[in-house]
Amino acid sequence: MFNFEAEYRLRTSWLKDRVGFVGFAGVGKVFGDYNSFSDADILPMAGVGARYMLQQDSRMNVRFDNTVGREGVMFYFGIMEAF
C-alpha cells in the first residue's frame, strides 16, 4: 500500500476544549503483487470527522469519521490518540 493524506484540524472551546473537528483528503494505491506497482488503481478519498477528548493528559479521543471514496461512503468509529 502507498498513500498520501493531508488533514486540517480545528480545536474548539466547546465542552472545556474537548471537542474538535477534522477535514481530510488523500489518494493511494493498494498493490496485490510486489513485482508490479503499476497495475493498481489510484484510489482517492475525502472526509470529515469529529473528535471528543476523553483524557487531556493522554490525548485519548473518541473519533467519528465519514469518508467518501470511489467505492462509496464509509463511516469509522475509533478510540485512540487523534490530536
Side-chain angles (χ1 to χ4, degrees):
M1 179 178 87
F2 174 78
N3 74 324
F4 174 77
E5 193 172 319
E7 66 181 36
Y8 177 77
R9 297 177 180 177
L10 174 66
R11 293 186 72 175
T12 69
S13 60
W14 300 351
L15 298 175
K16 299 181 182 178
D17 294 327
R18 291 183 178 259
V19 177
F21 298 96
V22 63
F24 48 88
V27 63
K29 285 188 170 192
V30 178
F31 306 102
D33 184 4
Y34 289 108
N35 296 323
S36 178
F37 291 133
S38 63
D39 291 342
D41 291 334
I42 295 175
L43 304 172
M45 71 84 179
V48 294
R51 309 287 186 261
Y52 177 77
M53 187 179 301
L54 292 174
Q55 299 175 332
Q56 291 181 336
D57 57 338
S58 65
R59 297 173 43 179
M60 187 63 61
N61 290 276
V62 176
R63 302 172 50 151
F64 300 96
D65 293 337
N66 189 28
T67 63
V68 178
R70 185 177 287 172
E71 299 294 321
V73 176
M74 294 291 293
F75 177 77
Y76 298 94
F77 169 79
I79 299 175
M80 61 189 72
E81 182 180 352
F83 62 87

